[in-house]
Amino acid sequence: MHAYSNSTEIFSQADLRRFARIMRYLCLLAGIGMISAAGRLAAQEPQPGALLKETERIIAGKIIQRGDFYEVELAPNSRVSIAVSKVSRLAVSREELYQFKCQSISRVGASSQAQWPVGDHFQLTRWCLVNDLLPQAAAHYAQVVERNADHPRVKQLGVELQQRLLHDEAFRQQSLLLQE
């Protein structure tokens, strides 16, 4: 004889079958939900952003991480894959990476960029030119010229900056507005 007799059963056999059906249904729903969430993660949309490679080059576009690689959509039907281990920093924009770069060279005791050595501004001007940060390049170049305008390298850097600015559509449009 069992410890529970039929007369003292808490649940009837019909109740247990109904409970089993409900549990199967809930498990099925939970399983579908888990599959759906996994599908969303696998099919996650690339997000606009920028990454700083170890080489100090910024790559910007729509970024998604796939395993050990970042896939960057540079333009429609144009993608590159970069190993996560080759990326120094991931950010929302080029400007955020510029701020990171400035913070990484900020000196103790230098409360503003105006107090940085001219060499730091020179290097940042070059870095900004390479990474298409023209307004920031111009700002750092102004600091370089203010302190060492006659140096041949400074003059050459000025020519490079001027050429890049003249080829930049936004800059040309802005300079036309200023002339009017």
Side-chain angles (χ1 to χ4, degrees):
M1 187 165 153
H2 293 356
Y4 302 108
S5 67
N6 285 344
S7 62
T8 60
E9 282 184 359
I10 297 173
F11 297 108
S12 69
Q13 291 296 323
D15 289 336
L16 290 175
R17 282 193 296 274
R18 198 175 8 225
F19 181 71
R21 273 197 316 266
I22 291 170
M23 289 306 295
R24 280 195 304 270
Y25 179 72
L26 290 175
C27 288
L28 177 64
L29 287 178
I32 290 171
M34 292 170 69
I35 291 169
S36 176
R40 280 195 306 272
L41 288 175
Q44 182 182 17
E45 290 294 317
Q47 299 297 313
L51 54 84
L52 180 62
K53 292 176 55 180
E54 286 179 335
T55 61
E56 293 294 306
R57 182 84 169 134
I58 293 176
I59 306 294
K62 293 182 179 177
I63 303 171
I64 188 167
Q65 186 172 352
R66 298 196 190 280
D68 293 338
F69 289 88
Y70 288 112
E71 185 176 284
V72 183
E73 182 179 334
L74 304 170
N77 299 318
S78 176
R79 291 183 176 88
V80 294
S81 291
I82 301 165
V84 170
S85 63
K86 300 292 183 189
V87 174
S88 300
R89 183 94 170 169
L90 186 63
V92 174
S93 66
R94 290 175 182 275
E95 290 73 23
E96 186 179 325
L97 290 174
Y98 166 74
Q99 292 300 324
F100 170 74
K101 181 74 171 169
C102 287
Q103 290 170 357
S104 71
I105 65 166
S106 185
R107 306 226 180 237
V108 175
S111 59
S112 73
Q113 290 182 7
Q115 296 176 335
W116 290 357
V118 69
D120 287 346
H121 287 290
F122 185 88
Q123 292 301 323
L124 266 174
T125 303
R126 284 204 172 286
W127 184 83
C128 289
L129 282 172
V130 166
N131 289 298
D132 296 323
L133 294 162
L134 298 181
Q136 293 89 337
H140 288 288
Y141 181 72
Q143 291 290 323
V144 173
V145 168
E146 185 178 302
R147 299 182 200 173
N148 203 352
D150 294 329
H151 195 284
R153 284 185 171 174
V154 172
K155 290 179 181 180
Q156 177 60 37
L157 187 60
V159 170
E160 291 174 35
L161 177 60
Q162 184 179 24
Q163 288 174 346
R164 291 291 305 278
L165 288 172
L166 290 174
H167 285 94
D168 184 66
E169 183 66 29
F171 176 78
R172 287 198 318 263
Q173 292 297 324
Q174 187 176 10
S175 62
L176 287 174
L177 290 174
L178 292 175
Q179 290 177 357
E180 293 176 354

